[in-house]
């Protein structure tokens, strides 16, 4: 859609949902400066404010956060104009979630990308050529366009700009059901102090337990396996509890 303020049906859905949902509600999509069909320009802050008035507790920023981080890293200073900064300064850090969508880029050895400053980890699986290492390249536009910044660099910049939470969605793991991208999660968590949500890859209850036991991640997310009713939330919580992972009832 052109912009969230043009999408009255979506806002109505959010308003109705917030009347019946009593856990923190995060909404994303279109959190950026934009010009509507009438030629009026809306700031990211105004867009976020409309989401908040409709019942959202937090907003999630994707591609626009990557562009903001790139500019910040290039200039070395904050402008106050990025979507992250606008919302952070008015609503606070806890209202801003950044969704990071990286993809694996395989290398023969970590030294291959040392000059670029990318964080290299042991890949969960080798590529077709047998390469064992990878770094995680940030993407925009739903993963359709790769950028010259890695997930760790992006996470650090977003935290500095005012993000209060990061959601890490590995494109390669998404929908595979083989578990979360633990090396990626660890590398991001080593770089920031704000909470991190593991996303993409879960396909069974044990994947959640493994994520919490093998990384310091604060939360883990799944969608498809719940939507398809392959696994229930109660089963995930039960598995975690039986393994000694603290979980709310």
């Amino acid at each position: 859609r052109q912009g969230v303020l043009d999408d009255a049906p979506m806002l109505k859905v959010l308003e109705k949902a917030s009347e019946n949902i009593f856990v923190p509600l995060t909404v994303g999509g279109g959190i950026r400066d934009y010009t509507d069909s009438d030629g009026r320009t809306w700031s990211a802050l105004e867009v976020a404010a409309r989401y908040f008035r409709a019942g959202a507790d937090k907003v999630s920023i994707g591609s626009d956060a990557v562009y903001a981080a790139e500019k910040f890293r290039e200039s070395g200073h904050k402008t106050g104009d990025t979507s992250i900064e606008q919302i952070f300064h008015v609503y606070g850090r806890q209202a801003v979630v950044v969704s990071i969508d990286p993809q694996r880029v395989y290398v023969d050895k970590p030294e291959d990308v040392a000059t670029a400053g990318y964080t290299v980890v042991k890949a969960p699986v080798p590529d077709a050529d047998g390469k064992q290492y990878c770094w995680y390249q940030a993407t925009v536009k739903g993963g359709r366009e790769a950028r010259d910044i890695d997930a760790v660099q992006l996470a650090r910049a977003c935290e500095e700009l005012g993000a209060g939470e990061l959601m890490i969605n590995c494109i390669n793991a998404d929908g595979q059901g083989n578990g979360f991208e633990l090396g990626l999660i660890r590398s991001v968590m080593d770089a920031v102090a704000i909470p991190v949500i593991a996303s993409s890859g879960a396909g069974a209850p044990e994947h959640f337990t493994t994520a919490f036991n093998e990384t310091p991640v604060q939360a883990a997310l799944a969608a498809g396996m719940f939507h398809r009713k392959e696994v229930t939330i109660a089963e995930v919580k039960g598995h975690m509890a039986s393994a000694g992972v603290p979980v709310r009832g």
Side-chain angles (χ1 to χ4, degrees):
R1 60 185 184 273
Q2 173 63 25
V4 65
L5 301 181
D6 297 322
D7 197 349
M10 176 59 193
L11 291 169
K12 183 61 67 176
V13 168
L14 176 57
E15 289 168 352
K16 290 296 183 182
S18 66
E19 292 173 1
N20 299 286
I21 295 175
F22 303 101
V23 295
L25 183 59
T26 303
V27 180
I31 310 295
R32 55 180 172 81
D33 298 343
Y34 85 100
T35 301
D36 65 20
S37 56
D38 294 324
R40 175 175 174 180
T41 297
W42 301 86
S43 69
L45 176 60
E46 290 173 307
V47 174
R50 184 64 186 91
Y51 269 139
F52 292 136
R53 289 197 300 273
D57 298 286
K58 305 178 183 185
V59 292
S60 177
I61 305 172
S63 296
D64 210 53
V66 179
Y67 303 139
E70 289 174 334
K71 291 178 181 177
F72 173 57
R73 283 173 49 81
E74 182 179 351
S75 67
H77 66 271
K78 305 173 189 177
T79 65
D81 296 330
T82 67
S83 54
I84 297 174
E85 293 171 276
Q86 290 180 46
I87 301 166
F88 160 64
H89 286 305
V90 174
Y91 290 98
R93 186 180 292 275
Q94 81 289 338
V96 185
V97 179
V98 168
S99 179
I100 298 177
D101 301 326
Q103 62 187 6
R104 297 179 202 136
V105 178
Y106 284 87
V107 293
D108 288 313
K109 54 187 182 301
E111 294 77 15
D112 290 349
V113 291
T115 57
Y118 300 146
T119 299
V120 178
V121 303
K122 183 75 175 294
V125 293
D127 73 353
D129 296 322
K131 295 177 181 177
Q132 300 283 335
Y133 296 94
C134 70
W135 60 279
Y136 290 92
Q137 184 174 31
T139 69
V140 296
K141 301 177 181 178
R144 295 188 300 275
E145 181 182 311
R147 309 294 291 187
D148 291 328
I149 182 173
D150 83 342
V152 173
Q153 293 168 333
L154 175 56
R156 286 188 180 124
C158 288
E159 179 182 36
E160 184 68 20
L161 289 170
E165 200 167 3
L166 303 173
M167 184 167 68
I168 312 299
N169 317 284
C170 178
I171 290 173
N172 308 86
D174 191 30
Q176 299 304 302
N178 295 321
F180 297 103
E181 197 87 353
L182 301 183
L184 168 61
I185 299 302
R186 291 190 198 97
S187 63
V188 170
M189 295 208 68
D190 285 344
V192 300
I194 57 178
V196 172
I197 304 167
S199 180
S200 299
E206 55 266 29
H207 294 154
F208 287 81
T209 302
T210 299
F212 289 115
N213 280 337
E214 297 188 12
T215 78
V217 72
Q218 287 89 353
L221 178 154
M225 72 179 201
F226 294 135
H227 296 162
R228 294 187 296 270
K229 299 182 179 180
E230 297 166 351
V231 179
T232 67
I233 294 174
E235 287 174 324
V236 171
K237 288 185 173 182
H239 191 281
M240 290 169 56
S242 66
V245 179
V247 61
R248 293 177 182 174

